[in-house]
Amino acid sequence: WDCGLACAEMALKARGIPNVTLQDLRRVCTTSSVWTIDLAYLLKEFGFDLKLFTLSTGVRDEYKKHAFYQRHLNQDALRVNQLFDCAERHSVPVELRSLSVENLKNMVHNQGALIIVLVDKRLLWCSLCVRSPQMVTSSLARFSPGFMGHYVLLCGYLSDSDSFLLKDPATSSPCCVVKTRHLDNARRAFGTDEDILWLGKVTARVQSISDKPP
């Protein structure tokens, strides 16, 4: 199970492509450690108009001593760096910049975009699930030391409560409501590179699942 692929599956369903399963996505994205650039290549194959915003177009040296990344970093580094190097050739737009919360609000509220966001799970609080048994159990993770990388899918914004609507593959809730300040803290934490995968409309339907471009 992978939260990034789960978010990709939810984005596909939201855009009218319901018959793709996690197993299908795993056959395309075969790596055991999924980075945001992997998700960009994957969803590009399904015809998404998309753009990846990030603070780093490659694997940062600082992560070599970071517990969350250490296990897979050596095998990930070459692949991830190559994907970034080949992104333009494969029509995967990458922009090296930080997005503000106002950018995110505009994207989901005015543009109708879906956004896959990399967050530190320890810092993410849902206003709806905070008292549920499931959330009480998972909230113990907040006391764990170090970064806990996790992907969520932003799908709306509520101006009256200054909160984002999101789908979190770690919960059974159909939708979570997260205050802007909590989301901003979680997505800007060290370890995220402030990765934002903007997903517009599906502009070209694929007929079959193929291997990801090398």
Side-chain angles (χ1 to χ4, degrees), residues 60 63 66 68-69 118 147 149 188-195:
R60 293 168 60 177
Y63 294 160
H66 203 299
F68 179 82
Y69 286 103
L118 178 60
F147 171 71
R188 291 185 184 274
F190 178 79
T192 66
D193 290 335
E194 296 188 29
D195 281 1

Side-chain angles (χ1 to χ4, degrees), residues 33 35 59-74 76 118-123 144-150 186 188-194:
S33 175
W35 289 57
V59 176
R60 293 168 60 177
D61 289 339
E62 302 98 294
Y63 294 160
K64 292 179 180 177
K65 296 181 180 180
H66 203 299
F68 179 82
Y69 286 103
Q70 276 182 337
R71 181 180 176 186
H72 298 286
L73 192 64
N74 287 336
D76 286 346
L118 178 60
V119 299
D120 186 337
K121 184 179 178 181
R122 301 171 307 152
L123 304 177
S144 301
F147 171 71
M148 292 185 66
H150 183 59
R188 291 185 184 274
F190 178 79
T192 66
D193 290 335
E194 296 188 29

Side-chain angles (χ1 to χ4, degrees), residues 47-188:
F48 270 94
D49 180 21
L50 57 78
K51 180 177 281 191
L52 170 58
F53 298 90
T54 183
L55 294 182
S56 179
T57 54
V59 176
R60 293 168 60 177
D61 289 339
E62 302 98 294
Y63 294 160
K64 292 179 180 177
K65 296 181 180 180
H66 203 299
F68 179 82
Y69 286 103
Q70 276 182 337
R71 181 180 176 186
H72 298 286
L73 192 64
N74 287 336
Q75 66 191 58
D76 286 346
L78 180 61
R79 185 192 83 256
V80 169
N81 290 334
Q82 285 181 338
L83 288 175
F84 274 111
D85 289 342
C86 297
E88 184 176 0
R89 176 153 44 96
H90 290 296
S91 300
V92 176
V94 177
E95 189 168 335
L96 191 65
R97 63 174 285 208
S98 172
L99 293 181
S100 68
V101 288
E102 296 305 318
N103 293 140
L104 299 184
K105 291 174 186 178
N106 179 59
M107 287 173 173
V108 297
H109 188 64
N110 297 325
Q111 299 177 11
L114 300 170
I115 302 177
I116 295 178
V117 185
L118 178 60
V119 299
D120 186 337
K121 184 179 178 181
R122 301 171 307 152
L123 304 177
L124 201 66
W125 290 85
C126 171
S127 303
L128 298 180
C129 339
V130 69
R131 291 184 175 85
S132 72
Q134 180 180 6
M135 184 55 70
V136 170
T137 301
S138 65
S139 67
L140 295 175
R142 295 184 174 86
F143 299 99
S144 301
F147 171 71
M148 292 185 66
H150 183 59
Y151 287 105
V152 295
L153 181 69
L154 300 190
C155 52
Y157 172 70
L158 301 174
S159 57
D160 57 343
S161 61
D162 192 24
S163 301
F164 283 89
L165 296 174
L166 61 83
K167 293 183 180 295
D168 182 349
T171 76
S172 58
S173 300
C175 191
C176 289
V177 178
V178 177
K179 291 286 188 181
T180 293
R181 66 181 183 275
H182 294 318
L183 176 66
D184 212 32
N185 287 337
R187 75 182 184 90
R188 291 185 184 274

